[in-house]
Amino acid sequence: TALAEIRRSSWCDENITQSSTRILIRILTDFQQRLDGFSHLTPWIVNLLAHRASVVRNRRESARREALPIVQSFRRALHLLAGGLFLPSSEGIRDPCETPKSVHVHHRLSSAQQEQLCCAAQTMLRLLSHGAHKEILTVNKDCSIDFNATLNCGGVIVSPSFMVNQKPQPTNSSKEQSTSKPDPITDDHPTPSS
C-alpha cells in the first residue's frame, strides 16, 4: 500500500546513509535483474539485506553502528543468503516498518523461491572462492550464470547447489519398474508374519 511505501522510504532515508550499503544495493539489484537465482528478491528485501550485511554494531559502543567496507559487505550478504537467512524455518530479517515486529520479509517468498535463493548464493560463493569475480560482477548485461549447470571457472569445475525440497522427476527406469511384471521369487513366497 501507499502508506507502507512511505514508511519504507523514510526508513531508507534514515538508515541507508553509508556508501557501502548503497553500492551493495546496486550490486544486489543487478543480480536480481540479471540472474535467475536472485530474481525473486524485491527492492525492499534488497534494501534490508544490504543494510543487514553492511552495518554492524561497534563493539565498544553498542548503540553506535559502523559500516563495513564493500568487499566485506558483499561477501557477508552472500554468506547470509547461503547460510539460510531466508529459508522457511530461519529467523530471517524482520520488517522494521510493519506494525507487528514479528513479520519476516522472506515470508513473502514461496519455499521454493527461498531455497532457490539459498542455492544460488552458495554457488556464487563457490565461484568467488575460485576467483570468478569478473564473471559475477560483469558489466555485460547479456552475461548470465546458469545455476542449473556445472560451471567452468578458470579450469576449476564448480557444481551448482541443488534444492533439497525439490520433487524428484520420474526417470525412465522408475517407469519401467512400475510397469514390469511381478518378480516370481518374491511374489510366490509369502512373507513370515509375526
Side-chain angles (χ1 to χ4, degrees):
T1 66
L3 289 175
E5 291 301 320
I6 292 171
R7 286 193 303 266
R8 290 174 181 175
S9 177
S10 65
W11 184 90
C12 288
D13 289 343
E14 293 173 11
N15 294 291
I16 301 179
T17 57
Q18 299 84 4
S19 62
S20 62
T21 307
R22 291 180 179 164
I23 294 170
L24 185 58
I25 288 171
R26 288 184 191 138
I27 292 170
L28 292 174
T29 302
D30 174 58
F31 285 178
Q32 183 263 334
Q33 294 170 355
R34 188 169 49 92
L35 303 173
D36 288 337
F38 292 84
S39 63
H40 309 298
L41 290 174
T42 63
W44 179 235
I45 293 175
V46 167
N47 288 344
L48 291 175
L49 175 63
H51 182 264
R52 172 85 173 258
S54 62
V55 178
V56 293
R57 285 192 176 141
N58 186 329
R59 291 184 181 173
R60 294 182 200 121
E61 303 171 34
S62 62
R64 187 170 166 226
R65 296 182 177 263
E66 295 177 345
L68 294 173
I70 184 60
V71 174
Q72 289 178 339
S73 300
F74 174 64
R75 190 172 287 275
R76 187 170 183 216
L78 289 179
H79 276 281
L80 286 170
L81 291 173
L85 178 71
F86 289 154
L87 287 179
S89 61
S90 72
E91 182 63 24
I93 298 176
R94 294 181 185 200
D95 195 332
C97 295
E98 292 294 326
T99 306
K101 296 294 182 189
S102 62
V103 175
H104 301 282
V105 294
H106 69 283
H107 288 171
R108 295 182 181 113
L109 304 173
S110 70
S111 295
Q113 291 171 337
Q114 293 171 13
E115 194 167 1
Q116 184 182 17
L117 182 61
C118 181
C119 290
Q122 290 171 359
T123 303
M124 293 285 272
L125 281 174
R126 276 194 223 104
L127 287 169
L128 275 176
S129 69
H130 292 295
H133 298 87
K134 290 181 182 178
E135 289 82 358
I136 292 172
L137 299 173
T138 183
V139 291
N140 184 0
K141 296 293 181 189
D142 297 331
C143 181
S144 180
I145 297 172
D146 185 8
F147 292 108
N148 297 319
T150 303
L151 305 165
N152 187 348
C153 177
V156 176
I157 303 298
V158 177
S159 298
S161 295
F162 294 104
M163 294 180 17
V164 175
N165 294 324
Q166 188 175 22
K167 294 181 181 178
Q169 299 295 327
T171 60
N172 290 338
S173 62
S174 64
K175 288 179 183 176
E176 290 172 5
Q177 290 175 356
S178 63
T179 60
S180 65
K181 295 180 182 179
D183 187 11
I185 295 173
T186 56
D187 291 340
D188 288 343
H189 305 291
T191 57
S193 58
S194 50

